[in-house]
Amino acid sequence: MSNKMWGGRFTERPDAIMEEINVSIDVDRHMYAQDIAASKAHAVMLAAQGIITANDAKNIAKGLDTILSEIGKGSFDFKRALEDIHMNVESRLADLIGPAAGRLHTARSRNDQVATDFRLFVRDTIDETDRALAAFQQALAQRALEHAATVMPGFTHLQTAQPVTFGHHLLAYVEMASRDRGRFADARQRLNESPLGAAALAGTSFPIDRAATAKALGFDRPMANSLDAVSDRDFVIETLSAAAICSVHLSRFAEEIVIWTSPLVGLIRLSDKFTTGSSIMPQKRNPDAAELVRAKTGRVIGALNALLIVMKGLPLAYQKDMQEDKLGAMEAFGALSLAIRAMTGMVLDMVPDEARMKLAAGEGYATATDLADWLVRTLKMPFRDAHHVTGRIVAKAASDGVALHELPLKAMQAIEPDITRDALSVLSVEASVKSRTSFGGTAPKNVAAQAKAWLKRLEKERKLG
């Protein structure tokens, strides 16, 4: 026998393989709350428009609430033979309230239904992600304030470049997370239009009120074109794009944690909470949480690529290919959520080795630029000349096997006679970071001010909800 929910034209059952490839309940069951919310809004609108009776709408709402409770308690029987969440809910609704359940599908299709459900799901995901990123920023900004003056090496090419502060480094990721939140907010704004009422692809002849259902579901407006409404998946692609960029930021930070916790570098330590041991080497402490955050980036980027490939050749309007839009996206969103929470935990857990950081900050003649800057400021030397002179002084220190600040003044004066003892005062790592007072620079007072500003901003956001 054919499927009773759609098979009036069919006289035979689908092949078992057809049923298997067609079923989506294992994935779209995760949208049950959104599906029920959209159905309730649709029923209320149908009654308000006189398309179904108020009594039928009341019974539908009561039945849907029962189903919501059953699913929440884990007692709902999901049936693969019914293919998807929409038909599972409708079938159970018929069990509960009888033939009136069949009126719920008036003036809609599974095409606009799934598009609505998934928009609601992605919107909820964006909101959850924003909250998680705000907590991540909070943790970073708090630790940045604690370590506004903790000197560490800054790197380019993974080589020691100039001293910075640990707080300054952490605030860089606060800024990245802020841009991530902005991208998610932009995606949310664009997705917040309702497909419900577009029906299969052409709209409906029933006198529905799409603005009413859009408002009931928190959308800004109904989508203006029924073809676009059922076939658009830009909202998923855009959100996955934001997720991919965010996951890359997390991966970069995770990579730094892996490097910093290595005994060869030893800039920070993680506790037992975010490390694991070895089954054969008892001395090991592995930064597995950071490594897994780094790896989960592949899932997110892969989901974005997969959906772009699915959508690239699809004509209007709905195609069954679009059923493949959910699994990868849901897995990606789940991976990103876990990665953000893991990184937040590691930020709160990490303990910098301040003595090692300070020592490392001065290695590799990291304050050479400060000497060049002194030559420019004090001796009015063109920077290119100062760069050349400083390079020769660094070469002398390297050949003598001493740090830059340990090179005798006479050795410096042999290269540049006008250098005075005052130049030595700029060569400490503390003096170096303290001098970087330009806006956005690493000076401790800058870092403390920026950290406090972020904490104030985040607290204001939290209170506003």
Side-chain angles (χ1 to χ4, degrees):
M1 181 176 291
S2 62
N3 190 305
K4 68 178 182 179
M5 305 299 283
W6 52 257
R9 183 190 186 284
F10 293 76
T11 58
E12 298 181 42
R13 287 190 61 88
D15 186 88
I17 296 298
M18 177 60 200
E19 288 188 337
E20 186 63 25
I21 198 172
N22 195 47
V23 69
S24 64
I25 187 60
D26 296 336
V27 176
D28 57 34
R29 65 191 295 172
H30 297 294
M31 302 190 302
Y32 74 88
Q34 291 82 11
D35 189 74
I36 290 172
S39 289
K40 290 175 71 173
H42 187 65
V44 168
M45 180 276 295
L46 291 176
Q49 295 298 106
I51 299 169
I52 66 173
T53 67
N55 189 58
D56 280 346
K58 179 180 178 181
N59 289 333
I60 288 170
K62 184 177 179 181
L64 290 171
D65 284 338
T66 299
I67 295 168
L68 184 64
S69 176
E70 289 175 349
I71 296 176
K73 292 186 296 186
S75 61
F76 187 88
D77 181 21
F78 288 101
K79 298 176 181 177
R80 288 174 63 82
L82 292 172
E83 298 179 6
D84 56 36
I85 185 63
H86 324 300
M87 291 165 64
N88 268 268
V89 169
E90 185 175 332
S91 177
R92 177 57 179 153
L93 186 62
D95 293 341
L96 292 171
I97 69 171
R103 303 188 189 283
L104 177 59
H105 209 55
T106 306
R108 74 175 184 183
S109 161
R110 281 190 294 174
N111 294 357
D112 64 333
Q113 195 175 355
V114 70
T116 303
D117 292 356
F118 203 22
R119 278 180 185 264
L120 292 171
F121 181 91
V122 172
R123 191 178 70 184
D124 290 343
T125 297
I126 289 174
D127 292 344
E128 292 166 8
T129 302
D130 184 73
R131 289 189 290 270
L133 284 172
F136 178 51
Q137 289 180 296
Q138 175 83 24
L140 288 165
Q142 184 59 52
R143 298 310 305 275
L145 184 59
E146 295 170 15
H147 293 285
T150 301
V151 180
M152 69 172 288
F155 301 95
T156 62
H157 309 278
L158 206 56
Q159 306 296 310
T160 302
Q162 292 178 295
V164 297
T165 71
F166 187 46
H168 190 58
H169 198 110
L170 295 177
L171 285 178
Y173 286 100
V174 177
E175 297 292 334
M176 293 183 207
S178 178
R179 295 194 296 273
D180 291 328
R181 294 179 67 190
R183 276 182 282 269
F184 280 115
D186 289 344
R188 191 192 194 282
Q189 183 178 7
R190 268 183 290 279
L191 75 75
N192 207 36
E193 296 182 342
S194 174
L196 193 57
L201 76 161
T204 179
S205 59
F206 290 95
I208 61 172
D209 185 349
R210 293 189 62 209
T213 51
K215 182 178 180 180
L217 294 170
F219 289 114
D220 294 329
R221 64 191 69 83
M223 295 183 74
N225 184 285
S226 60
L227 289 166
D228 181 48
V230 299
S231 64
D232 169 56
R233 293 299 182 270
D234 289 1
F235 66 97
V236 195
I237 293 170
E238 186 172 6
T239 305
L240 283 172
S241 297
I245 297 171
C246 181
S247 69
V248 167
H249 291 156
L250 297 176
S251 183
R252 294 180 70 183
F253 195 9
E255 171 72 3
E256 291 186 322
I257 290 174
V258 171
I259 293 170
W260 292 347
T261 55
S262 167
L264 294 174
V265 179
L267 297 185
I268 67 168
R269 295 186 302 276
L270 290 174
S271 76
D272 296 351
K273 295 178 180 179
F274 289 95
T275 55
T276 64
S278 165
S279 63
I280 189 173
M281 296 169 284
Q283 83 282 6
K284 293 293 294 299
R285 181 189 292 276
N286 300 324
D288 282 3
E291 291 171 6
L292 288 166
V293 167
R294 188 174 59 186
K296 287 185 185 298
T297 303
R299 284 199 183 197
V300 183
I301 295 171
L304 171 60
N305 286 340
L307 186 53
L308 285 168
I309 293 167
V310 166
M311 295 299 297
K312 72 174 182 62
L314 299 188
L316 296 179
Y318 180 81
Q319 314 290 330
K320 195 69 169 186
D321 309 53
M322 294 179 193
Q323 185 167 290
E324 293 297 314
D325 62 352
K326 298 172 198 66
L327 178 58
M330 289 180 176
E331 288 182 345
F333 296 146
L336 179 63
S337 174
L338 184 56
I340 295 170
R341 288 182 283 127
M343 290 303 298
T344 303
M346 282 184 277
V347 168
L348 295 172
D349 184 69
M350 64 174 60
V351 177
D353 185 333
E354 297 185 29
R356 174 63 188 137
M357 280 186 167
K358 181 179 177 181
L359 180 64
E363 292 176 347
Y365 306 101
T367 57
T369 303
D370 297 277
L371 177 57
D373 288 347
W374 183 90
L375 293 171
V376 171
R377 280 195 310 270
T378 306
L379 303 186
K380 308 305 179 184
M381 189 178 292
F383 182 80
R384 285 300 167 206
D385 293 344
H387 185 284
H388 181 72
V389 169
T390 302
R392 292 176 61 197
I393 291 172
V394 168
K396 173 62 176 173
S399 68
D400 291 355
V402 298
L404 192 58
H405 68 277
E406 296 173 339
L407 188 67
L409 178 61
K410 287 185 178 180
M412 293 187 184
Q413 290 174 333
I415 297 169
E416 174 47 62
D418 292 335
I419 291 180
T420 66
R421 187 166 299 278
D422 181 57
L424 302 180
S425 67
V426 305
L427 298 181
S428 72
V429 292
E430 293 91 347
S432 177
V433 296
K434 188 177 180 180
S435 71
R436 307 293 172 179
T437 56
S438 60
F439 181 76
T442 192
K445 67 177 184 179
N446 286 18
V447 175
Q450 285 287 338
K452 289 176 182 177
W454 270 113
L455 290 168
K456 183 178 180 180
R457 174 177 168 180
L458 291 165
E459 178 61 18
K460 183 178 179 180
E461 287 179 0
R462 188 189 66 79
K463 289 181 177 179
L464 292 174

